[in-house]
Amino acid sequence: MNYTLHQLQIFLKITQLKSITKASEALFLSQPAVSIQLKKFQDQFSIPLTEVVGRQLYVTDFGWEIAEAAEKILNEVDAINYKTMSFKGQIAGRLKISVVSTGKYVMPYFLSDFTNKNKGVDLIIDVTNKQSVVKSLENNEVDFSLVSVIPEQLNLSRVELMENRLYLIGGTKDKFNPKVSTKKIFETYPMLYREDGSATRNAMETFLEGQHISTPKRIELTSNEALKQAVIAGLGYSIMPLIGIKNELKNGDLQIIPFKGLPIVTNWNLVWQKSKNLSPVALAYLDFVKKEKDRIIKENFDWYSEY
């Protein structure tokens, strides 16, 4: 057996993505290079690791066993590298963070300076829905999570980062007539909602119920980007987080429609299980956030004050 760590890395990525093309993109390699390494790796085994049925790549049972072993080997290699850097006085290790979908407009700004300064930190970010974020916290799969609504069922510590403001948003193809009651929007046009369980949807529904507003026409979309494009196209109106529509407001594709009781204001929070034994990397990051959050907000989110 003369397989290399590089081949193990490539094979593991192929099993994770079930595609040579996607693996090559994720590893920043050409597709032929990945195919060649997969063949060289396969040639060292008498049992098939993968098979192609139609145009779909499948991993065999034996392949999954090898992938599991490859992951363990690569994790041990990472641990050796981290220990080496730690002995040199450098911060090294993995930092895992789960982020609710709207939080992708926030979290990178609170990470870039830290990771640029600490080259030995491997960052893993999972951008997903609120339910998956809560599950990752419950299962102790991440160091931190970014949420705008703190799950009450968990015993969490938190650092409050910045405001999350939600406004009534419309497109600009047909300019909103200020002489018409804004309640007519909710009664006349479709209202666009995020999927059930989304924090944005929960905030929107709570607000509308409190205002005794019914929305007879409803359309549901499963991502903020899809929701934003639908509003721009004139499909309907929505209550959306300001954080994700900066460019569209500046370009004149979207407009904020003033409405009593808006904006809805919550806060972005970095949270973690109180019982969690944070790693040295996680502790270093937590210290960084506490010290630098005000500077980061001032440098990157000053535009909030315009709205």
Side-chain angles (χ1 to χ4, degrees):
M1 292 290 179
N2 295 310
Y3 49 78
T4 65
L5 292 175
H6 185 53
Q7 289 170 351
L8 289 175
Q9 183 186 35
I10 288 174
F11 180 65
L12 180 60
K13 187 60 67 175
I14 289 171
T15 62
Q16 291 171 339
L17 300 177
K18 300 181 180 64
S19 166
I20 291 175
T21 300
K22 291 180 180 178
S24 66
E25 292 172 353
L27 295 168
F28 302 100
L29 298 169
S30 67
Q31 186 172 331
V34 170
S35 297
I36 290 170
Q37 291 303 316
L38 176 61
K39 184 180 185 305
K40 288 182 177 180
F41 189 61
Q42 173 64 79
D43 288 346
Q44 299 180 72
F45 301 93
S46 59
I47 304 172
L49 299 170
T50 62
E51 57 184 356
V52 177
V53 179
R55 300 182 65 180
Q56 178 64 46
L57 183 143
Y58 294 90
V59 182
T60 66
D61 289 342
F62 178 67
W64 284 118
E65 294 284 341
I66 298 302
E68 184 178 347
E71 185 172 21
K72 291 178 181 178
I73 292 169
L74 293 170
N75 284 339
E76 288 299 319
V77 172
D78 286 341
I80 291 172
N81 292 335
Y82 297 149
K83 287 177 182 178
T84 301
M85 297 185 78
S86 295
F87 269 93
K88 293 180 178 180
Q90 301 176 29
I91 296 172
R94 282 185 180 160
L95 183 64
K96 298 182 180 180
I97 300 176
S98 59
V99 179
V100 293
S101 57
T102 309
K104 64 177 175 286
Y105 303 108
V106 176
M107 199 69 233
Y109 294 97
F110 289 89
L111 286 164
S112 59
D113 287 350
F114 179 78
T115 55
N116 288 334
K117 182 180 178 181
N118 301 289
K119 301 298 185 182
V121 174
D122 289 334
L123 180 62
I124 301 172
I125 304 178
D126 181 25
V127 180
T128 182
N129 58 43
K130 180 187 173 184
Q131 292 176 337
S132 296
V133 166
V134 173
K135 185 177 179 181
S136 68
L137 279 169
E138 287 178 325
N139 295 340
N140 196 32
E141 296 170 350
V142 294
D143 297 301
F144 302 104
S145 293
L146 182 71
V147 296
S148 59
V149 178
I150 298 176
E152 294 181 357
Q153 69 271 32
L154 300 179
N155 189 18
L156 301 174
S157 296
R158 67 167 179 154
V159 174
E160 189 176 288
L161 299 184
M162 57 179 288
E163 283 188 350
N164 180 37
R165 302 182 197 168
L166 292 86
Y167 290 87
L168 177 61
I169 302 296
T172 56
K173 287 190 173 182
D174 295 315
K175 295 292 185 180
F176 174 66
N177 185 349
K179 294 181 180 179
V180 177
S181 168
T182 48
K183 285 198 174 184
K184 293 286 185 181
I185 292 176
F186 298 100
E187 298 169 359
T188 308
Y189 300 101
M191 289 302 296
L192 309 184
Y193 288 76
R194 282 290 306 278
E195 77 280 5
D196 192 30
S198 160
T200 298
R201 174 168 176 157
N202 291 343
M204 182 174 173
E205 289 181 330
T206 299
F207 172 76
L208 294 176
E209 288 172 6
Q211 296 286 325
H212 306 291
I213 297 172
S214 61
T215 56
K217 298 181 180 180
R218 298 165 64 121
I219 298 175
E220 183 177 302
L221 297 99
T222 57
S223 77
N224 283 305
E225 287 302 313
L227 191 69
K228 182 164 58 178
Q229 294 305 319
V231 175
I232 291 173
L235 196 58
Y237 293 79
S238 188
I239 294 177
M240 300 179 64
L242 176 63
I243 193 69
I245 57 174
K246 175 185 176 183
N247 292 334
E248 290 74 17
L249 288 171
K250 288 188 177 296
N251 294 339
D253 295 322
L254 292 175
Q255 62 176 324
I256 293 175
I257 301 169
F259 192 84
K260 184 179 179 181
L262 292 176
I264 302 167
V265 180
T266 60
N267 287 285
W268 290 109
N269 297 277
L270 190 72
V271 300
W272 66 98
Q273 290 269 29
K274 282 187 176 179
S275 59
K276 184 173 181 61
N277 184 21
L278 294 175
S279 68
V281 172
L283 287 171
Y285 178 64
L286 186 58
D287 182 60
F288 166 82
V289 168
K290 289 178 179 178
K291 290 179 178 177
E292 300 294 334
K293 67 171 187 172
D294 290 339
R295 174 187 63 82
I296 293 169
I297 293 169
K298 183 176 181 180
E299 289 181 358
N300 299 285
F301 301 100
D302 244 9
W303 61 271
Y304 250 48
S305 60
E306 298 176 24
Y307 300 97

PDB file of all heavy atoms in Angstrom, residues 172-186:
ATOM      1  N   THR A 172     -39.333  47.926  -6.556  1.00  0.00           N
ATOM      2  CA  THR A 172     -39.464  49.307  -7.026  1.00  0.00           C
ATOM      3  C   THR A 172     -39.980  49.392  -8.455  1.00  0.00           C
ATOM      4  O   THR A 172     -40.019  50.471  -9.038  1.00  0.00           O
ATOM      5  CB  THR A 172     -38.103  50.027  -6.943  1.00  0.00           C
ATOM      6  OG1 THR A 172     -37.128  49.277  -7.692  1.00  0.00           O
ATOM      7  CG2 THR A 172     -37.650  50.165  -5.508  1.00  0.00           C
ATOM      8  N   LYS A 173     -40.389  48.274  -9.038  1.00  0.00           N
ATOM      9  CA  LYS A 173     -40.921  48.322 -10.406  1.00  0.00           C
ATOM     10  C   LYS A 173     -42.198  49.151 -10.449  1.00  0.00           C
ATOM     11  O   LYS A 173     -42.415  49.952 -11.344  1.00  0.00           O
ATOM     12  CB  LYS A 173     -41.175  46.900 -10.918  1.00  0.00           C
ATOM     13  CG  LYS A 173     -39.893  46.153 -11.252  1.00  0.00           C
ATOM     14  CD  LYS A 173     -40.178  44.858 -11.976  1.00  0.00           C
ATOM     15  CE  LYS A 173     -38.878  44.209 -12.443  1.00  0.00           C
ATOM     16  NZ  LYS A 173     -39.130  42.954 -13.190  1.00  0.00           N
ATOM     17  N   ASP A 174     -43.065  48.933  -9.453  1.00  0.00           N
ATOM     18  CA  ASP A 174     -44.263  49.758  -9.305  1.00  0.00           C
ATOM     19  C   ASP A 174     -44.118  50.505  -7.994  1.00  0.00           C
ATOM     20  O   ASP A 174     -44.243  49.922  -6.922  1.00  0.00           O
ATOM     21  CB  ASP A 174     -45.529  48.890  -9.282  1.00  0.00           C
ATOM     22  CG  ASP A 174     -45.749  48.176 -10.604  1.00  0.00           C
ATOM     23  OD1 ASP A 174     -45.609  48.833 -11.654  1.00  0.00           O
ATOM     24  OD2 ASP A 174     -46.053  46.979 -10.572  1.00  0.00           O
ATOM     25  N   LYS A 175     -43.813  51.784  -8.069  1.00  0.00           N
ATOM     26  CA  LYS A 175     -43.562  52.557  -6.860  1.00  0.00           C
ATOM     27  C   LYS A 175     -44.786  52.553  -5.943  1.00  0.00           C
ATOM     28  O   LYS A 175     -45.918  52.696  -6.393  1.00  0.00           O
ATOM     29  CB  LYS A 175     -43.212  53.998  -7.221  1.00  0.00           C
ATOM     30  CG  LYS A 175     -41.899  54.142  -7.988  1.00  0.00           C
ATOM     31  CD  LYS A 175     -40.703  53.808  -7.116  1.00  0.00           C
ATOM     32  CE  LYS A 175     -39.398  54.075  -7.840  1.00  0.00           C
ATOM     33  NZ  LYS A 175     -38.236  53.771  -7.014  1.00  0.00           N
ATOM     34  N   PHE A 176     -44.526  52.353  -4.659  1.00  0.00           N
ATOM     35  CA  PHE A 176     -45.591  52.335  -3.669  1.00  0.00           C
ATOM     36  C   PHE A 176     -46.214  53.723  -3.540  1.00  0.00           C
ATOM     37  O   PHE A 176     -45.509  54.725  -3.433  1.00  0.00           O
ATOM     38  CB  PHE A 176     -45.030  51.874  -2.329  1.00  0.00           C
ATOM     39  CG  PHE A 176     -46.009  51.952  -1.197  1.00  0.00           C
ATOM     40  CD1 PHE A 176     -47.132  51.146  -1.177  1.00  0.00           C
ATOM     41  CD2 PHE A 176     -45.816  52.840  -0.161  1.00  0.00           C
ATOM     42  CE1 PHE A 176     -48.030  51.219  -0.132  1.00  0.00           C
ATOM     43  CE2 PHE A 176     -46.712  52.921   0.886  1.00  0.00           C
ATOM     44  CZ  PHE A 176     -47.819  52.105   0.896  1.00  0.00           C
ATOM     45  N   ASN A 177     -47.540  53.779  -3.583  1.00  0.00           N
ATOM     46  CA  ASN A 177     -48.272  55.048  -3.470  1.00  0.00           C
ATOM     47  C   ASN A 177     -48.463  55.385  -1.990  1.00  0.00           C
ATOM     48  O   ASN A 177     -49.203  54.692  -1.283  1.00  0.00           O
ATOM     49  CB  ASN A 177     -49.638  54.930  -4.158  1.00  0.00           C
ATOM     50  CG  ASN A 177     -50.386  56.247  -4.178  1.00  0.00           C
ATOM     51  OD1 ASN A 177     -50.011  57.211  -3.511  1.00  0.00           O
ATOM     52  ND2 ASN A 177     -51.455  56.300  -4.958  1.00  0.00           N
ATOM     53  N   PRO A 178     -47.803  56.434  -1.475  1.00  0.00           N
ATOM     54  CA  PRO A 178     -47.890  56.749  -0.046  1.00  0.00           C
ATOM     55  C   PRO A 178     -49.283  57.171   0.403  1.00  0.00           C
ATOM     56  O   PRO A 178     -49.560  57.214   1.592  1.00  0.00           O
ATOM     57  CB  PRO A 178     -46.878  57.897   0.116  1.00  0.00           C
ATOM     58  CG  PRO A 178     -46.772  58.514  -1.242  1.00  0.00           C
ATOM     59  CD  PRO A 178     -46.958  57.391  -2.221  1.00  0.00           C
ATOM     60  N   LYS A 179     -50.173  57.495  -0.545  1.00  0.00           N
ATOM     61  CA  LYS A 179     -51.523  57.917  -0.172  1.00  0.00           C
ATOM     62  C   LYS A 179     -52.421  56.722   0.159  1.00  0.00           C
ATOM     63  O   LYS A 179     -53.484  56.885   0.732  1.00  0.00           O
ATOM     64  CB  LYS A 179     -52.144  58.725  -1.309  1.00  0.00           C
ATOM     65  CG  LYS A 179     -51.444  60.053  -1.564  1.00  0.00           C
ATOM     66  CD  LYS A 179     -52.114  60.825  -2.682  1.00  0.00           C
ATOM     67  CE  LYS A 179     -51.410  62.159  -2.947  1.00  0.00           C
ATOM     68  NZ  LYS A 179     -52.055  62.909  -4.045  1.00  0.00           N
ATOM     69  N   VAL A 180     -51.982  55.546  -0.236  1.00  0.00           N
ATOM     70  CA  VAL A 180     -52.771  54.343   0.024  1.00  0.00           C
ATOM     71  C   VAL A 180     -52.343  53.751   1.358  1.00  0.00           C
ATOM     72  O   VAL A 180     -51.149  53.663   1.647  1.00  0.00           O
ATOM     73  CB  VAL A 180     -52.564  53.310  -1.102  1.00  0.00           C
ATOM     74  CG1 VAL A 180     -53.335  52.024  -0.801  1.00  0.00           C
ATOM     75  CG2 VAL A 180     -53.009  53.902  -2.438  1.00  0.00           C
ATOM     76  N   SER A 181     -53.306  53.344   2.175  1.00  0.00           N
ATOM     77  CA  SER A 181     -52.993  52.727   3.463  1.00  0.00           C
ATOM     78  C   SER A 181     -52.102  51.514   3.256  1.00  0.00           C
ATOM     79  O   SER A 181     -52.359  50.670   2.394  1.00  0.00           O
ATOM     80  CB  SER A 181     -54.294  52.294   4.158  1.00  0.00           C
ATOM     81  OG  SER A 181     -54.003  51.460   5.252  1.00  0.00           O
ATOM     82  N   THR A 182     -51.046  51.432   4.070  1.00  0.00           N
ATOM     83  CA  THR A 182     -50.121  50.313   3.906  1.00  0.00           C
ATOM     84  C   THR A 182     -50.787  48.968   4.216  1.00  0.00           C
ATOM     85  O   THR A 182     -50.329  47.935   3.742  1.00  0.00           O
ATOM     86  CB  THR A 182     -48.903  50.491   4.823  1.00  0.00           C
ATOM     87  OG1 THR A 182     -49.347  50.830   6.131  1.00  0.00           O
ATOM     88  CG2 THR A 182     -47.994  51.583   4.304  1.00  0.00           C
ATOM     89  N   LYS A 183     -51.873  48.999   4.995  1.00  0.00           N
ATOM     90  CA  LYS A 183     -52.563  47.737   5.273  1.00  0.00           C
ATOM     91  C   LYS A 183     -53.140  47.128   4.008  1.00  0.00           C
ATOM     92  O   LYS A 183     -53.365  45.925   3.925  1.00  0.00           O
ATOM     93  CB  LYS A 183     -53.653  47.934   6.329  1.00  0.00           C
ATOM     94  CG  LYS A 183     -53.111  48.091   7.741  1.00  0.00           C
ATOM     95  CD  LYS A 183     -54.175  47.843   8.786  1.00  0.00           C
ATOM     96  CE  LYS A 183     -53.578  47.860  10.182  1.00  0.00           C
ATOM     97  NZ  LYS A 183     -54.574  47.536  11.226  1.00  0.00           N
ATOM     98  N   LYS A 184     -53.379  47.979   2.989  1.00  0.00           N
ATOM     99  CA  LYS A 184     -53.881  47.480   1.710  1.00  0.00           C
ATOM    100  C   LYS A 184     -52.881  46.529   1.058  1.00  0.00           C
ATOM    101  O   LYS A 184     -53.252  45.643   0.294  1.00  0.00           O
ATOM    102  CB  LYS A 184     -54.162  48.648   0.762  1.00  0.00           C
ATOM    103  CG  LYS A 184     -55.307  49.555   1.186  1.00  0.00           C
ATOM    104  CD  LYS A 184     -56.648  48.882   0.958  1.00  0.00           C
ATOM    105  CE  LYS A 184     -57.796  49.859   1.268  1.00  0.00           C
ATOM    106  NZ  LYS A 184     -59.114  49.223   1.073  1.00  0.00           N
ATOM    107  N   ILE A 185     -51.593  46.745   1.349  1.00  0.00           N
ATOM    108  CA  ILE A 185     -50.565  45.855   0.798  1.00  0.00           C
ATOM    109  C   ILE A 185     -50.813  44.434   1.263  1.00  0.00           C
ATOM    110  O   ILE A 185     -50.811  43.495   0.475  1.00  0.00           O
ATOM    111  CB  ILE A 185     -49.160  46.327   1.226  1.00  0.00           C
ATOM    112  CG1 ILE A 185     -48.817  47.646   0.556  1.00  0.00           C
ATOM    113  CG2 ILE A 185     -48.111  45.274   0.892  1.00  0.00           C
ATOM    114  CD1 ILE A 185     -47.493  48.222   1.005  1.00  0.00           C
ATOM    115  N   PHE A 186     -51.034  44.280   2.575  1.00  0.00           N
ATOM    116  CA  PHE A 186     -51.222  42.948   3.144  1.00  0.00           C
ATOM    117  C   PHE A 186     -52.515  42.307   2.642  1.00  0.00           C
ATOM    118  O   PHE A 186     -52.597  41.090   2.495  1.00  0.00           O
ATOM    119  CB  PHE A 186     -51.240  43.033   4.672  1.00  0.00           C
ATOM    120  CG  PHE A 186     -49.962  43.536   5.265  1.00  0.00           C
ATOM    121  CD1 PHE A 186     -49.836  44.854   5.667  1.00  0.00           C
ATOM    122  CD2 PHE A 186     -48.871  42.703   5.429  1.00  0.00           C
ATOM    123  CE1 PHE A 186     -48.662  45.333   6.221  1.00  0.00           C
ATOM    124  CE2 PHE A 186     -47.686  43.162   5.979  1.00  0.00           C
ATOM    125  CZ  PHE A 186     -47.581  44.480   6.369  1.00  0.00           C
TER     126      PHE A 186
END
